[in-house]
Amino acid sequence: MSPWLMNTYARLPVAFTRGEGVWLYDEEGRRYLDGVAGIAVSTLGHAHPRLVAAICAQAGRLIHTSNLYRVREQEALAERLCRLSGMEEVFFANSGAEANEGAIKLARLYGYRRGIKRAKIVVMEGAFHGRTLAALSATGNRRAQEGFEPLVEGFVRVPFGDVAAVERALADEEVVAVLFEVIQGEGGVRVANPEAVRTIRELTRAREVLMVVDEVQCGVGRTGCWFGWQWAAAALGVAEERLRPDVMTLAKGLGGGVPIGALLASGPAAGVFGPGNHGSTFGGNPLACTAALTTLAVIEEEGLLTNAAEQGRWLREELRQTLSEVRGVEEVRGEGLMVGVALDRPAAEVVFRALESGLLVNVTAERVVRLLPPLILRRPEAEILATQLAACVRAFLASS
Ligand SMILES: Cc1ncc(COP(=O)(O)O)c(C=O)c1O
């Protein structure tokens, strides 16, 4: 491992030199099926011709100007995201953590304008919102936080999806927002009960506090809907506006691999930020916005929402069947192409076994083997993924 890099990642001993579709190639030319997509980033797989052409053309025209000026690509992307979500306005950042920092600031300012000087935000156990200080403070993982105290104050934690606990927390007049993931990714692919999402929406509306959803991992098509809360509305069979959040954050898959984050606001959260309240040098630059516009266009034109739903359903069903008799497999869960295989023991070794067999998977929350493949994954590749993963899990459980 390079001595020139800070030792922040326990990296696998492999480096990739190129990719094509759902496949990555290492320095020896060995091929791997990418079941991780750079942690839910490479939505269109690798080297998608439409995305490559759009990025190259944009780079040849203009990479960066500044938010001192109008940025047409940013305006177009903001409109597109608002039309897809029914949200009203967008601020562009460069990552998920940054988008969440913006959401936390927006919620505090919303409270401040209503006379609340020391705002509190309700957050969930098992949540992951990023590594910057406020996002880390909102994150429900003590190991990630340890040593970085004093953390940012003002977060009240409740069990994931526990609506009674949310209701109790909302009794506090200083609470200005409830922040959560509809599907916790880092927390172990834990899917919120859509009923709980609906109840939180009703409670926050009634109390006039903001419902903030972190869609950094489960957004941009991963569930088979554009956004996780839309998946929850569809699961309940209710109109989208019944569940639409006041604030939503995006990043990861939005740029198809080019860094971009977004903070969207609607209803009471729209219009909270004015000039001077928030900003970013790089946020919403022409290159990143063109990548995102192209990613969204390809998702739509190639039918990748339906594909994500179908392949994901098939993958979970297949894994459930092939692993049903295997002791040590607790559950196969998820939505769309966000799949978790929960084991009864620490599962890091599965990642190594999979790597050896030419498959990239990831383990989160210690015991959950996680799949986040590109949304372009088709059935023949899903079959390889399921077969190889099941073999690795079986071999691991038999030997540990
Ligand atoms: C739900 C969620 N929010 C925020 C983040 C942080 O995003 P980033 O790593 O781009 O800062 C992540 C990253 O895993 C995430 O899964």
Side-chain angles (χ1 to χ4, degrees):
M1 296 298 160
S2 167
W4 303 103
L5 291 171
M6 285 198 194
N7 191 23
T8 52
Y9 283 93
R11 294 172 196 270
L12 294 167
V14 63
F16 302 106
T17 52
R18 69 184 182 89
E20 196 182 333
V22 295
W23 300 97
L24 278 169
Y25 295 83
D26 73 9
E27 290 167 310
E28 274 78 52
R30 220 180 139 211
R31 191 171 88 142
Y32 301 80
L33 179 58
D34 187 0
V36 180
I39 320 184
V41 168
S42 307
T43 319
L44 308 182
H46 304 282
H48 191 289
R50 285 265 314 270
L51 184 59
V52 172
I55 292 170
C56 289
Q58 186 60 52
R61 273 195 305 274
L62 196 60
I63 293 176
H64 176 80
T65 54
S66 166
N67 288 312
L68 294 173
Y69 316 107
R70 291 187 72 164
V71 180
R72 294 294 185 193
E73 297 81 1
Q74 192 181 118
E75 293 172 8
L77 179 59
E79 178 176 352
R80 181 85 161 101
L81 288 172
C82 287
R83 291 199 187 280
L84 291 175
S85 62
M87 305 292 283
E88 291 168 49
E89 55 176 30
V90 188
F91 173 88
F92 288 106
N94 309 285
S95 66
E98 241 188 274
N100 285 332
E101 291 285 323
I104 292 162
K105 280 180 67 180
L106 190 150
R108 284 186 170 194
L109 194 59
Y110 166 82
Y112 182 82
R113 300 250 169 84
R114 301 163 75 92
I116 298 166
K117 296 288 184 296
R118 297 187 65 79
K120 293 179 189 157
I121 297 175
V122 177
V123 291
M124 307 277 161
E125 286 171 7
F128 187 84
H129 299 298
R131 300 284 190 164
T132 54
L133 208 43
L136 181 68
S137 306
T139 287
N141 178 340
R142 266 309 294 159
R143 264 173 57 197
Q145 293 171 334
E146 195 180 346
F148 299 108
E149 293 82 5
L151 297 172
V152 173
E153 316 170 26
F155 294 102
V156 180
R157 201 165 303 282
V158 299
F160 180 58
D162 183 339
V163 291
V166 171
E167 189 167 17
R168 280 194 299 277
L170 287 176
D172 184 337
E173 296 279 305
E174 290 182 318
V175 167
V176 295
V178 179
L179 162 63
F180 66 100
E181 297 146 89
V182 175
I183 302 179
Q184 290 190 338
E186 303 307 301
V189 191
R190 293 163 75 203
V191 184
N193 184 339
E195 282 293 354
V197 179
R198 168 159 55 186
T199 307
I200 293 172
R201 181 62 286 191
E202 286 167 358
L203 289 169
T204 47
R205 239 177 224 144
R207 257 279 274 114
E208 296 185 349
V209 310
L210 303 180
M211 181 168 106
V212 182
V213 293
D214 177 343
E215 295 265 347
V216 167
Q217 190 161 147
C218 67
V220 196
R222 197 139 282 281
T223 59
C225 295
W226 283 108
F227 309 109
W229 60 270
Q230 290 176 331
W231 162 79
L236 292 169
V238 302
E240 273 177 23
E241 62 256 28
R242 297 271 300 277
L243 262 61
R244 182 173 295 120
D246 303 306
V247 178
M248 160 167 90
T249 55
L250 302 173
K252 285 194 181 281
L254 180 57
V258 176
I260 182 167
L263 162 64
L264 291 87
S266 71
V272 170
F273 277 159
N277 289 140
H278 201 47
S280 167
T281 294
F282 291 124
N285 65 72
L287 186 73
C289 290
T290 295
L293 277 164
T294 309
T295 301
L296 297 176
V298 174
I299 292 175
E300 187 161 66
E301 287 160 32
E302 293 190 3
L304 298 184
L305 296 182
T306 315
N307 187 60
E310 284 177 9
Q311 304 306 339
R313 199 176 305 120
W314 183 87
L315 258 178
R316 275 187 300 282
E317 209 35 59
E318 183 69 13
L319 287 168
R320 267 179 208 133
Q321 273 177 22
T322 46
L323 295 173
S324 63
E325 304 294 306
V326 180
R327 276 186 53 194
V329 178
E330 287 186 339
E331 193 185 10
V332 178
R333 59 184 182 234
E335 272 308 318
L337 285 176
M338 199 168 177
V339 178
V341 181
L343 305 185
D344 66 354
R345 65 200 78 172
E349 200 193 310
V350 174
V351 176
F352 289 92
R353 286 178 180 266
L355 186 73
E356 272 170 26
S357 78
L359 173 66
L360 303 180
V361 299
N362 163 259
V363 165
T364 189
E366 219 181 9
R367 297 188 292 111
V368 183
V369 181
R370 178 173 51 166
L371 300 175
L372 297 162
L375 305 190
I376 57 164
L377 184 90
R378 301 289 177 183
R379 183 62 47 84
E381 300 143 355
E383 283 173 9
I384 300 172
L385 181 46
T387 309
Q388 278 184 226
L389 178 62
C392 292
V393 167
R394 245 196 238 106
F396 163 68
L397 290 170
S399 71
S400 66

